[in-house]
Amino acid sequence: MKKNIVKNRVLVIVFIFLACVCFYSLRLMEIQVVNGKEYVEKLNKGTSVSQRMKAARGEIVDREGRPFTYNRVGYNIIFDRVYMSKKEENDTILKVCKVLESTNEKWADNLPLTHRAPFAFLPNREKDVEKLKKHLNIGQYATADDVVYWLKDMYKLKDYNDSDFRKLAGVKYAMQQQGFNYSTNYTFAYDISLKTATLIREWGYEMNGVSITEVAMREYMDGDLIPHVIGRIGPIYAEEMEGLLEKGYQPSDYIGKDGIEMIYEDYLRGKDGMKKIYFNSEGDVVDSVDEEETIPGNTVVLTIDKDIQRVAIDSLKKQIEHLNETAPEGKGKEADSGAVAAIDIKTGEIIALVTYPTYDQAKYGQQYNELLADPLKPLWNRATMGRYSPGSVFKPVVGLAALNEKLETPDSKIGCYHVYDYYPNTVFTCLGHHGPLTVKEALKYSCNIYFYDAGRRLGIDKINEYAHRLGLGEPTGIEINEFKGVVSNPEVAKKHGVPWNPGDVLQSAIGQMYNEFSPLQLASYTSALAGNGKRMDLNIVKSIESYNRDKVVFDNKPKVMSNMDDVPAEVFEAIREGMVMASRSGTAIATFGNYFVDVASKTGTPQTAGFPNSTFICYAPAEDPEIAVAVVIEKGWHGYTGAPVARDIMNKYFEKYSEHIPPEVLKAREEEAKKQAEAESEKENSDKSEEKTEE
């Protein structure tokens, strides 16, 4: 019995052994014969890595497809914690700094301390200083010396000289800000030269964990044209990473920080691809396979016309400089800034949007501190965020309301005898003695008395009702941030901690008191007047298209936000006639008295705490409106000083988009251009002749 059991066990063991031999023999045959070639290739490849292929960022272009942005290849220096030991970290950082100093390049450093001892806080960096102190967990009253002490303590830098300490502290602080760790690389320097990149690669054996990566760098064309709208991109900081990793962002990526770059980030960024790279046993690349397709970002097409935008900004600058040179002291000579908005009345598309002074996006990084310290605040988007009292350009609101509420008719008159003394012990005045005036004549001469009386009888609630219906104090619809405006009323006075008096209605009726609107909102209001109360949703993005522009992703169709169908056309017509009279023979006669189309305009000189501003609105052609323009010049004194800017904009608009320009005007312009070309040619020939004579 026992012998049989042993015999059976032996047979089982022999069977299992033979089965294993057969299995492995067959497997070996499969590897060597059937799939031999495949396994040899795998063996030769040795290892593989997956590499992210960065998608090109989509472009931002004007309405005709002319670019505001483009991409080029750049080089960044990357630190990788996996290969950079903490023991060698400081020495490695100093070596990289030395290379960049030799080529006069800069590296990322947002530490708000001077670069040389004795160390002090950098000017105009209060928020950054506050953030640094919070990072060091020290009180907000800590001095620069306190900050230096705790930086040395936190980063173990007590044994370094002042120069090396400052370099290391700046870099290590930035590394922490971007969350540098084993899974997150740190971008030490952006967009270095090819020469510097080559040096870093050559000295790579001495700088473990330091590498060069090629990236698509954002560039801006005509960077001074509309930087406040385009916005900018920048590196992702540690506190911003939450939620972005899930969207596929890497810590070394750039992201839109403001303007169109930020708001349309999801359309512009594209989708990164993945490529698998195979190496043989000797480390040579033997194959690469695209695992995920790289999809470039979409193109954002703006409604802005570059030609008209350039005319607008040049004209505004020229007019301010002209006032500086020719206006009397206290009456326009102090003009220093302003804004312009121009709108296509039929579509609501913003054709031009200017803030002056402006800045150049291409130099934003280098000039940031200077721009921040500039008292004229060039970084502030005056066109959409400016808070300006409208002054007399508000009067069409009151005139329209008075006519529609049947307090007045187009032909009824209110007497102006310079003084309005309806309220006892309070005297309101006008600049003139106009006598009896219709609403049209009151708009022509910008008579205060007419609108004091009409405003008093309307009351503040009714005035504000019409103001809101025309778009004042309402969002315009623009895609970027804007100030939605404030319409003067008792609630606003209460917020200011002052009582509301009956006379405040009169001041509100002529655009003073608490009325505050942006230039864009004034243009929107002007467009609504031109369209008989039809208020369009304003847009600065015309469409979104694929990167190569062969497919429309989103088309921004014109949209009506509100109508004033209950207001008869003859009411708007009366206001229109009054505004045309202001152009032909009234307050804007110097600019539009002989213009080739009828222009409906209104001037304003709102009082401010300092010198009065200049406000000007207009639309044209009055009989079939196409374009609305609003101009604000800070300290410009007279409303009509903005009119030449509006005229230059309309000249360019009609030249490009309208058939309203008479043949004789076009012929005169062609002859003028021909004479100018001939004069330049004669000058060039004269210069060449003088050069030959000298020889």
Side-chain angles (χ1 to χ4, degrees):
M1 180 77 176
K2 192 179 285 186
K3 287 183 179 180
N4 288 335
I5 292 173
V6 172
K7 184 179 180 181
N8 289 339
R9 285 181 177 175
V10 171
L11 289 173
V12 169
I13 292 171
V14 171
F15 176 77
I16 292 173
F17 173 76
L18 291 173
C20 288
V21 170
C22 289
F23 173 78
Y24 283 109
S25 296
L26 291 171
R27 181 65 178 149
L28 185 61
M29 184 182 295
E30 180 186 15
I31 292 173
Q32 291 182 332
V33 180
V34 180
N35 296 323
K37 185 178 179 181
E38 178 184 346
Y39 281 98
V40 168
E41 288 179 357
K42 285 185 178 181
L43 182 63
N44 287 337
K45 287 182 179 178
T47 59
S48 66
V49 295
S50 291
Q51 185 180 87
R52 191 168 68 121
M53 307 301 292
K54 185 64 184 168
R57 191 172 181 84
E59 293 185 351
I60 302 172
V61 303
D62 86 334
R63 66 188 300 117
E64 294 182 8
R66 294 169 292 188
F68 285 109
T69 66
Y70 66 94
N71 301 312
R72 64 170 175 79
V73 175
Y75 303 95
N76 289 351
I77 300 176
I78 302 296
F79 288 176
D80 188 337
R81 167 60 76 207
V82 174
Y83 303 103
M84 181 183 285
S85 70
K86 291 187 178 181
K87 184 178 179 181
E88 299 175 347
E89 182 179 292
N90 288 349
D91 289 341
T92 299
I93 291 172
L94 290 175
K95 286 176 182 176
V96 183
C97 289
K98 187 176 180 180
V99 172
L100 267 67
E101 285 175 334
S102 71
T103 56
N104 199 28
E105 301 248 22
K106 296 187 181 298
W107 57 86
D109 185 337
N110 60 354
L111 191 66
L113 281 177
T114 54
H115 288 266
R116 292 183 177 85
F119 297 109
F121 296 129
L122 292 173
N124 304 308
R125 297 281 297 276
E126 289 78 10
K127 288 185 178 179
D128 293 330
V129 171
E130 182 181 344
K131 184 177 179 181
L132 172 60
K133 291 177 180 178
K134 187 176 180 181
H135 173 76
L136 294 171
N137 197 27
I138 59 177
Q140 288 304 308
Y141 294 102
T143 65
D145 288 339
D146 295 329
V147 167
V148 169
Y149 175 85
W150 289 108
L151 281 169
K152 288 182 176 180
D153 182 76
M154 174 176 280
Y155 298 131
K156 308 293 187 292
L157 303 176
K158 293 180 181 179
D159 296 332
Y160 290 89
N161 62 40
D162 287 337
S163 176
D164 287 348
F165 154 74
R166 180 59 185 82
K167 293 170 189 171
L168 290 167
V171 174
K172 300 192 83 155
Y173 178 61
M175 288 164 71
Q176 275 195 306
Q177 294 296 103
Q178 286 198 24
F180 179 57
N181 56 38
Y182 287 100
S183 61
T184 303
N185 292 338
Y186 168 67
T187 304
F188 171 79
Y190 296 89
D191 196 21
I192 61 171
S193 67
L194 179 59
K195 177 183 177 181
T196 304
T198 302
L199 286 173
I200 294 292
R201 283 169 174 156
E202 287 177 356
W203 290 92
Y205 67 93
E206 289 190 5
M207 297 181 287
N208 293 328
V210 179
S211 61
I212 300 295
T213 181
E214 292 186 5
V215 292
M217 303 302 298
R218 197 65 154 175
E219 291 289 334
Y220 298 96
M221 296 189 69
D222 301 313
D224 64 329
L225 265 185
I226 193 166
H228 306 86
V229 170
I230 301 298
R232 62 187 178 87
I233 63 173
I236 300 173
Y237 294 111
E239 61 267 26
E240 298 176 302
M241 276 310 301
E242 187 176 353
L244 292 178
L245 286 173
E246 298 174 3
K247 294 183 177 181
Y249 286 92
Q250 299 296 313
S252 59
D253 285 345
Y254 275 54
I255 193 170
K257 295 292 184 178
D258 53 37
I260 296 296
E261 293 276 28
M262 179 184 73
I263 295 167
Y264 287 87
E265 170 69 19
D266 289 344
Y267 287 99
L268 288 165
R269 66 177 290 234
K271 185 178 182 298
D272 292 348
M274 293 296 294
K275 176 181 285 188
K276 197 153 197 174
I277 302 173
Y278 294 94
F279 303 86
N280 62 20
S281 55
E282 296 179 358
D284 300 320
V285 176
V286 294
D287 196 7
S288 65
V289 178
D290 289 336
E291 294 184 312
E292 295 179 25
E293 181 185 4
T294 301
I295 303 173
N298 295 297
T299 297
V300 176
V301 183
L302 301 185
T303 59
I304 296 294
D305 181 295
K306 268 195 172 186
D307 296 329
I308 297 176
Q309 180 77 7
R310 175 60 70 191
V311 166
I313 195 168
D314 287 349
S315 181
L316 180 60
K317 179 177 183 287
K318 180 181 176 183
Q319 182 65 357
I320 289 173
E321 290 173 347
H322 175 71
L323 291 171
N324 297 157
E325 294 170 3
T326 62
E329 296 279 352
K331 294 188 176 182
K333 195 175 189 66
E334 299 75 16
D336 56 16
S337 51
V340 177
I343 298 170
D344 183 322
I345 292 170
K346 298 184 187 303
T347 65
E349 293 177 348
I350 300 168
I351 305 169
L353 194 65
V354 167
T355 287
Y356 180 83
T358 185
Y359 65 94
D360 190 341
Q361 284 171 296
K363 301 175 182 177
Y364 174 85
Q366 305 96 297
Q367 298 179 347
Y368 177 74
N369 290 331
E370 179 185 338
L371 293 169
L372 201 62
D374 192 326
L376 293 180
K377 300 180 179 179
L379 295 176
W380 181 40
N381 188 353
R382 286 173 161 84
T384 62
M385 300 300 292
R387 303 170 66 110
Y388 297 103
S389 177
S392 294
V393 300
F394 187 81
K395 289 174 179 176
V397 173
V398 178
L400 186 81
L403 293 179
N404 197 54
E405 296 297 319
K406 297 184 170 42
L407 298 180
E408 297 293 330
T409 69
D411 298 318
S412 62
K413 296 185 178 183
I414 294 175
C416 167
Y417 303 101
H418 186 60
V419 174
Y420 189 76
D421 55 1
Y422 181 86
Y423 295 109
N425 304 318
T426 307
V427 176
F428 297 89
T429 62
C430 183
L431 293 175
H433 298 72
H434 299 114
L437 293 165
T438 64
V439 67
K440 301 173 190 176
E441 294 166 329
L443 289 170
K444 171 184 175 180
Y445 296 115
S446 197
C447 173
N448 286 347
I449 304 298
Y450 183 99
F451 297 100
Y452 286 150
D453 192 65
R456 176 187 62 79
R457 287 182 289 142
L458 280 166
I460 195 64
D461 290 341
K462 192 58 72 173
I463 292 173
N464 289 351
E465 176 190 327
Y466 281 84
H468 282 294
R469 294 184 70 185
L470 287 165
L472 294 173
E474 298 289 336
T476 66
I478 190 172
E479 293 85 347
I480 62 175
N481 291 336
E482 68 168 332
F483 167 58
K484 77 169 189 175
V486 174
V487 176
S488 184
N489 59 62
E491 286 77 19
V492 180
K494 187 177 180 180
K495 289 179 182 177
H496 283 78
V498 296
W500 179 264
N501 299 307
D504 294 342
V505 178
L506 276 62
Q507 290 291 349
S508 299
I510 63 166
Q512 296 288 159
M513 289 305 293
Y514 305 110
N515 286 308
E516 286 185 321
F517 312 112
S518 71
L520 179 65
Q521 200 168 69
L522 291 176
S524 173
Y525 149 66
T526 306
S527 177
L529 285 173
N532 284 10
K534 182 170 71 173
R535 185 162 65 93
M536 302 299 293
D537 179 39
L538 300 193
N539 295 304
I540 203 160
V541 173
K542 188 174 182 67
S543 63
I544 298 173
E545 302 175 4
S546 58
Y547 190 78
N548 56 9
R549 304 197 66 187
D550 61 352
K551 178 183 177 184
V552 176
V553 177
F554 169 71
D555 193 9
N556 219 345
K557 300 290 186 184
K559 177 184 174 185
V560 178
M561 294 184 77
S562 62
N563 268 306
M564 296 178 71
D565 295 334
D566 57 316
V567 179
E570 53 266 27
V571 169
F572 281 102
E573 185 59 33
I575 301 301
R576 178 177 292 109
E577 288 178 14
M579 293 176 70
V580 170
M581 289 166 65
S583 296
R584 289 297 186 196
S585 55
T587 55
I589 184 175
T591 303
F592 290 112
N594 296 311
Y595 202 62
F596 56 83
V597 296
D598 280 337
V599 176
S601 72
K602 186 70 196 76
T603 57
T605 310
Q607 302 298 310
T608 67
F611 299 100
N613 289 337
S614 164
T615 56
F616 182 80
I617 61 171
C618 67
Y619 64 85
E623 64 279 5
D624 183 18
E626 295 181 20
I627 181 172
V629 181
V631 181
V632 174
I633 300 178
E634 294 184 27
K635 306 174 191 173
W637 187 264
H638 296 291
Y640 57 74
T641 60
V645 180
R647 179 196 58 212
D648 290 345
I649 292 170
M650 290 197 293
N651 282 347
K652 192 64 180 178
Y653 170 83
F654 288 130
E655 178 185 312
K656 290 194 70 174
Y657 296 111
S658 180
E659 298 177 357
H660 288 282
I661 299 183
E664 60 270 20
V665 173
L666 286 174
K667 185 177 180 181
R669 288 187 183 177
E670 288 174 2
E671 290 177 354
E672 183 180 348
K674 185 178 179 181
K675 287 180 181 178
Q676 186 176 355
E678 289 174 351
E680 290 176 355
S681 178
E682 287 178 7
K683 185 177 183 304
E684 185 178 344
N685 292 333
S686 175
D687 291 341
K688 288 180 179 178
S689 176
E690 289 178 4
E691 289 175 5
K692 288 181 179 179
T693 302
E694 289 174 1
E695 291 174 0

